[in-house]
Amino acid sequence: MRAAIIGGSIAGCAMAVGLRRLGCEVTVYERSQGELTGRGLGIGIAGTVLPTLTDYLGPDLRSSPITQRSWFVPDGSPTGRVALLQPFGVVATNWGVVWRALRSKVPDPVYRQRVAVRAVHADGTVVTETGSERYDLVVGADGYRSIVRGIVDRSARVEYSGYVLWRGDFPVTEVPAELSTAIITVVYPGGHGLVYRIPEPAGEGERLNWGLYQALPDRFTDPTSVAPGALDDDLFAAFQDTVDRLPRYWADLVRRTPREIVSVQPIYDADLTHYATERVAVAGDAGCLARPHTGSGVLKAIQDAQCLEQAYRDTGDWPAALARYDTERTAAGRALVDTGRRLGDALVVHTPSWPSMTEPEFRAWFDAVHSGSIFTSAGKPTA
């Protein structure tokens, strides 16, 4: 079995690990050069789920334990008012840590860097700037702008949610007491922010990682991802406006991030009806694209690889394995997309009057959001 994987990020490396364990001859095409550790920041993985990823990530993944989620509401004080405290069994790690763990299991000759794929065809042909090659299987792991997605699902569309995620981090020698074992969620009209600690992508030490969700002003009609160091003055002004919505203590923490580290990620949805055909499959963000509120981007990418590997081990037949992969991952992906939309509507698009809520009211609101009972059958929030 000769397999090509388009994209050498987390989903691509995970697929390479799984397919190589099945004895496949794998080639990974990655258009970038060097390490990809700068592509992402903080990642949270449920503590109960992490052991199921050991065969891909190894037993000693560097991480920071999170045992509590603290919700703060602006009230004029430096930190804001604590609206809700929740047990939170999560380990926080760094995108770069996860990528390094997977990349270390993919031999260099398999991982072709600085090779941009121009096209992929349904018969398994991969076209690059130097020629074309046909494979028994092609896996598109080429992110939310995937060129492979349309082969497995011609009706698939990537839709902008109406808001973005500002992201950044900075190194710390001493973690603030409020963040020692907690993830902080600060809510404000029209959005919310997250702050938590993560390990350095390489070596010792920790960083404070943050993300702020907010709709951009109307003048930004077609936002696109902007990498760290590339924000223009207009975008940076919009970022500063979002930071100003935070209580002073959390705003000051975010402002410790150098401008050249701040990035912006438009939030999209992609809801697929298929994940695989006879010779082509998708994985990670090239498949169903769920909003980050679900905390499942990296996890879904690795579970895609696990699913395909296990499907072949169970069936011993590639057509049967791909059919099962198609069924299982399409269902899982669509469920995540629905959950992400529900959380995004409640936490960004249609935010309630949080400052007026008592703790029991806040808890009831949170439980209703997660159960879906706060929404009508048309998908709109109830009063």
Side-chain angles (χ1 to χ4, degrees):
M1 183 71 166
R2 296 181 66 248
I5 298 172
I6 316 304
S9 190
I10 285 177
C13 286
M15 273 291 177
V17 171
L19 291 175
R20 279 175 49 80
R21 280 212 292 252
L22 295 174
C24 297
E25 179 185 326
V26 173
T27 300
V28 178
Y29 291 91
E30 171 52 50
R31 65 182 179 181
S32 303
Q33 183 179 15
E35 294 196 334
L36 307 184
T37 52
R39 286 193 176 182
L41 299 168
I43 294 170
I45 302 175
T48 55
V49 173
L50 187 60
T52 69
L53 309 179
T54 300
D55 53 344
Y56 278 70
L57 299 179
D60 301 312
L61 188 76
R62 291 189 299 115
S63 61
S64 303
I66 303 294
T67 60
Q68 179 175 278
R69 186 173 189 177
S70 305
W71 295 75
F72 284 80
V73 174
D75 67 349
S77 66
T79 61
R81 170 175 62 89
V82 177
L84 183 63
L85 298 176
Q86 297 173 306
F88 208 61
V90 168
V91 295
T93 187
N94 192 307
W95 191 99
V97 170
V98 175
W99 181 81
R100 283 174 183 266
L102 292 166
R103 176 66 180 86
S104 68
K105 298 178 182 294
V106 183
D108 288 343
V110 167
Y111 194 92
R112 296 186 188 177
Q113 291 188 294
R114 296 186 66 183
V115 179
V117 173
R118 300 285 182 84
V120 173
H121 299 298
D123 66 354
T125 299
V126 174
V127 181
T128 68
E129 59 187 8
T130 59
S132 63
E133 193 167 354
R134 188 177 179 189
Y135 293 86
D136 301 308
L137 174 65
V138 178
V139 178
D142 48 341
Y144 79 98
R145 294 190 182 274
S146 172
I147 65 171
V148 183
R149 183 187 290 120
I151 297 175
V152 299
D153 186 351
R154 292 183 179 181
S155 66
R157 297 290 183 272
V158 177
E159 299 179 348
Y160 176 49
S161 69
Y163 59 91
V164 301
L165 171 60
W166 302 99
R167 304 193 71 173
D169 67 355
F170 57 90
V172 289
T173 55
E174 183 176 349
V175 176
E178 297 87 352
L179 291 160
S180 59
T181 60
I183 181 171
I184 302 297
T185 303
V186 184
V187 297
Y188 45 82
H192 68 285
L194 302 168
V195 186
Y196 55 100
R197 62 194 181 102
I198 60 174
E200 288 279 2
E204 302 297 324
E206 289 188 309
R207 305 180 73 85
L208 284 191
N209 172 85
W210 56 262
L212 304 176
Y213 291 92
Q214 185 72 38
L216 286 175
D218 291 341
R219 65 183 181 275
F220 299 98
T221 57
D222 187 22
T224 187
S225 293
V226 178
L231 293 183
D232 61 25
D233 290 344
D234 202 17
L235 267 177
F236 192 68
F239 162 67
Q240 295 282 27
D241 177 69
T242 301
V243 177
D244 289 341
R245 298 167 185 260
L246 297 170
R248 185 173 68 253
Y249 177 84
W250 306 113
D252 289 344
L253 272 184
V254 170
R255 289 195 179 101
R256 289 173 60 184
T257 308
R259 175 172 173 171
E260 60 269 20
I261 294 179
V262 178
S263 63
V264 62
Q265 171 190 343
I267 303 304
Y268 293 98
D269 300 312
D271 196 1
L272 275 64
T273 57
H274 287 288
Y275 254 60
T277 64
E278 183 180 352
R279 286 182 178 269
V280 181
V282 290
D285 285 347
C288 288
L289 183 60
R291 303 184 192 186
H293 314 297
T294 63
S296 60
V298 165
L299 177 62
K300 181 170 75 73
I302 299 174
Q303 288 179 332
D304 286 346
Q306 288 179 316
C307 179
L308 184 55
E309 180 186 356
Q310 191 60 49
Y312 183 77
R313 291 190 185 280
D314 290 345
T315 63
D317 176 76
W318 277 110
L322 286 167
R324 188 166 112 179
Y325 176 77
D326 179 27
T327 299
E328 292 186 5
R329 297 317 291 165
T330 300
R334 300 189 79 174
L336 282 172
V337 171
D338 289 344
T339 299
R341 285 172 172 153
R342 184 171 76 244
L343 295 177
D345 278 343
L347 287 163
V348 184
V349 180
H350 298 104
T351 54
S353 178
W354 285 309
S356 66
M357 290 182 179
T358 65
E359 181 173 334
E361 289 171 339
F362 197 101
R363 186 180 297 277
W365 167 84
F366 178 87
D367 292 342
V369 169
H370 276 260
S371 69
S373 62
I374 199 171
F375 289 85
T376 67
S377 60
K380 301 296 184 182
T382 57

